[in-house]
Structure formats: C-alpha cells, structure tokens
Amino acid sequence: MTLPLLLVEDDPVEARRLSSALAGLGYEVTLAEDGDAALDQLAARAFDVVLLDLVVPGLDGMGVLDAMAARGLAVPVVVQVTAAGLDAASGAIRSGARDFVVKPAGVLRLQVA
C-alpha cells in the first residue's frame, strides 16, 4: 500500500529526484510547484505527510504552514532547507513542522524524517 505524500518543490530536477526516492520508500507522490498549489491540493484530498520546500514561488513555505494551522490541518510536515537556511528550519518547527531536511536530502534522511 502506498501512502499519499504532497511534495512542494519548484525545481523540476529536484522534484523528479525526490519523487523517485519517495516512491521507492512507498509513497504516492503528488507535486505542487508553489504554496498556493499546495493549499489547493491539501483542500482536495488527504495526505499522510507533506515535504515542503520553504522557498517556493508565491506563498512561501512559512505561509503554507501558517495557512495549514489556520485551517486546522494536522498533516505532519517535513520542511526542506538549504544549508544556508538552517535558521529558517527552527522557525518552521516553531510554526508546526515536525522535522527538517537539508537539501539535497538523501534517501536515508528522508526515511528518518
């Protein structure tokens, strides 16, 4: 059985890499390329987890976390940050994210998160 996962990633190369890795871990991956599309997907169906890049076009990752909290969506979120953006990870955790990964995250780190 595959588990539904929402991947919020605007880089097409990274999205393909992550989709492949996550499918190998047993997830059914749905891609959203920006924050607004992510919220649309979250309104349309249930997901077991969200892998959220904090830097996406339009509504950014922190905005998505805030909107999810305002809507009462309790879906676990793992945020993606760059090594230079580690400070943002602590803010995301305070805003409700469960964990974070540093891009580009390997399969083992994705599985642990």
Side-chain angles (χ1 to χ4, degrees), residues 39-66:
L39 292 177
D40 290 345
Q41 288 290 338
L42 287 164
R45 67 176 287 200
F47 291 94
D48 283 359
V49 66
V50 176
L51 181 56
L52 173 65
D53 188 350
L54 287 182
V55 181
V56 291
L59 184 65
D60 68 5
M62 292 302 292
V64 172
L65 284 170
D66 291 343

Side-chain angles (χ1 to χ4, degrees), residues 6-109:
L6 178 60
L7 172 60
V8 186
E9 173 61 60
D10 62 316
D11 179 329
V13 173
E14 184 67 1
R16 280 192 301 276
R17 185 187 76 77
L18 287 168
S19 292
S20 177
L22 293 164
L25 293 174
Y27 289 98
E28 173 196 342
V29 179
T30 298
L31 177 64
E33 295 178 352
D34 61 44
D36 294 313
L39 292 177
D40 290 345
Q41 288 290 338
L42 287 164
R45 67 176 287 200
F47 291 94
D48 283 359
V49 66
V50 176
L51 181 56
L52 173 65
D53 188 350
L54 287 182
V55 181
V56 291
L59 184 65
D60 68 5
M62 292 302 292
V64 172
L65 284 170
D66 291 343
M68 288 177 68
R71 296 177 185 185
L73 297 174
V75 181
V77 176
V78 175
V79 296
Q80 298 183 85
V81 297
T82 63
L86 283 175
D87 289 341
S90 63
I93 298 293
R94 284 192 301 274
S95 292
R98 299 266 176 101
D99 201 351
F100 72 94
V101 296
V102 177
K103 293 172 88 171
V107 175
L108 180 58
R109 180 62 184 115

